[in-house]
Amino acid sequence: MKNVRKVINEIMNDVLDKNMNLKESMDKRISDGGIKGPDLGLVKEEVYGTIRNLIKINFVIYKYNTIKKVDKEVLNILRTSVYEILFLDKIPEHATCNEAVNLTKAIRKKSAANFVNAVLRNVIRSKSVIAYPTKADGNMVEYLSVNYSMPMWYCEMMLDHYPVTELEELFAKMNEEYYEIFEALAREDKSPWAYDDFLQRFDSLRSALIDIIGEEKTKKILIDNPKELLNV
């Protein structure tokens, strides 16, 4: 499991912090790490799952952490660990916490080990009562962004065109099936609550998606008629 954790963290660092293509990073890291069999499935599940739920995971991490500027590699260890705690029942929570601490030490971030342990244990204790944004709070942008892991600027834009109920269905569909979208979204929106310079960010995301999935599908997904995804 030690090598699996290391490979997962390397992929997350590649994609989120070095702007590498997800498939290229996975192919290289899995090959270099000799990952096979059930371990291969775990690597893919954790990487895809963490990226798909990145904004929700970030929300949880910063809810139980008073340090706003976290080392990038340490933050990615926290992200995949929180994904395990929230979404993977098959891995014992104490094992997730211990492995995260050990990996933090292994990457020469020993000083952050207690911090990682504290954050994860807080998440474990509180996971059944985490107060995610709700529609009753009145902030539909934040509600959609956190619960469906969509950038706030994109939620704000789409709310100008569609009611919340339709966006809930659409975003759930996108989150379930379109991994490649979330690779681009994750790379374009590292700070999930910052959406300044909207037009530049939108153009950058659009260009990234065109490169990955083509212009026609990108137009459907981003604004022209994203509801068509519900019929795919």
Side-chain angles (χ1 to χ4, degrees), residues 7 62 66 96 102 133 142 151 177 182 184 196 203 215 218:
V7 168
Y62 286 106
T66 57
T96 295
N102 290 337
E142 186 179 37
E177 295 189 7
F182 284 83
D196 56 319
D203 286 342
E215 185 169 3
T218 296

Side-chain angles (χ1 to χ4, degrees), residues 158-180:
M158 296 301 283
L159 280 166
D160 287 339
H161 299 272
Y162 302 100
V164 172
T165 52
E166 291 189 18
L167 291 179
E168 288 172 322
E169 186 181 4
L170 170 66
F171 289 170
K173 175 79 170 182
M174 290 171 68
N175 193 302
E176 179 183 349
E177 295 189 7
Y178 287 84
Y179 297 117
E180 64 269 38

Side-chain angles (χ1 to χ4, degrees), residues 32 60 167 185 207:
D32 290 350
V60 172
L167 291 179
L185 289 176
S207 297

Side-chain angles (χ1 to χ4, degrees), residues 6-229:
K6 179 175 178 288
V7 168
I8 290 170
N9 192 242
E10 287 172 342
I11 295 169
M12 297 299 295
N13 294 337
D14 286 344
V15 174
L16 297 184
D17 301 320
K18 300 176 183 176
N19 218 29
M20 284 183 63
N21 175 269
L22 176 58
K23 184 178 185 307
E24 290 177 3
S25 174
M26 288 189 74
D27 288 347
K28 181 182 187 305
R29 297 297 186 180
I30 287 170
S31 175
D32 290 350
I35 305 298
K36 300 177 181 178
D39 287 345
L40 178 59
L42 180 61
V43 169
K44 290 182 176 181
E45 180 170 3
E46 289 213 16
V47 170
Y48 286 137
T50 301
I51 288 176
R52 285 167 55 198
N53 295 281
L54 188 65
I55 292 178
K56 189 171 193 175
I57 289 169
N58 284 346
F59 175 85
V60 172
I61 290 172
Y62 286 106
K63 194 174 184 68
Y64 296 100
N65 160 38
T66 57
I67 301 174
K68 297 307 177 186
K69 189 172 180 60
V70 181
D71 177 270
K72 292 178 180 180
E73 288 185 85
V74 172
L75 180 56
N76 286 330
I77 291 173
L78 285 173
R79 284 165 167 163
T80 54
S81 300
V82 169
Y83 174 76
E84 285 185 12
I85 292 167
L86 297 182
F87 298 99
L88 291 186
D89 295 334
K90 62 187 178 184
I91 299 179
E93 293 169 346
H94 70 273
T96 295
C97 190
N98 290 339
E99 292 282 353
V101 169
N102 290 337
L103 180 57
T104 303
K105 294 176 180 177
I107 63 170
R108 300 180 181 179
K109 308 286 183 180
K110 191 174 181 179
S111 61
N114 288 338
F115 165 73
V116 168
N117 183 63
V119 171
L120 294 181
R121 291 196 181 280
N122 281 336
V123 174
I124 290 169
R125 283 193 293 267
S126 308
K127 74 172 188 176
S128 63
V129 293
I130 295 173
Y132 297 108
T134 68
K135 286 190 280 190
D137 296 332
N139 188 335
M140 296 300 105
V141 173
E142 186 179 37
Y143 161 72
L144 290 170
S145 177
V146 172
N147 286 281
Y148 296 94
S149 280
M150 291 287 176
M152 290 185 76
W153 62 264
Y154 185 47
C155 296
E156 184 175 52
M157 178 182 71
M158 296 301 283
L159 280 166
D160 287 339
H161 299 272
Y162 302 100
V164 172
T165 52
E166 291 189 18
L167 291 179
E168 288 172 322
E169 186 181 4
L170 170 66
F171 289 170
K173 175 79 170 182
M174 290 171 68
N175 193 302
E176 179 183 349
E177 295 189 7
Y178 287 84
Y179 297 117
E180 64 269 38
I181 296 172
F182 284 83
E183 177 195 351
L185 289 176
R187 287 191 281 119
E188 292 299 324
D189 205 69
K190 297 181 182 66
S191 177
W193 293 279
Y195 52 102
D196 56 319
D197 199 5
F198 166 78
L199 291 177
Q200 181 178 345
R201 295 172 67 78
F202 180 76
D203 286 342
S204 179
L205 173 58
R206 181 170 56 197
S207 297
L209 284 177
I210 288 173
D211 289 342
I212 295 168
I213 58 177
E215 185 169 3
E216 183 176 351
K217 189 180 288 187
T218 296
K219 288 179 65 179
K220 291 180 182 179
I221 289 168
L222 285 177
I223 194 167
D224 286 358
N225 190 12
K227 288 191 292 184
E228 287 190 21
L229 284 175

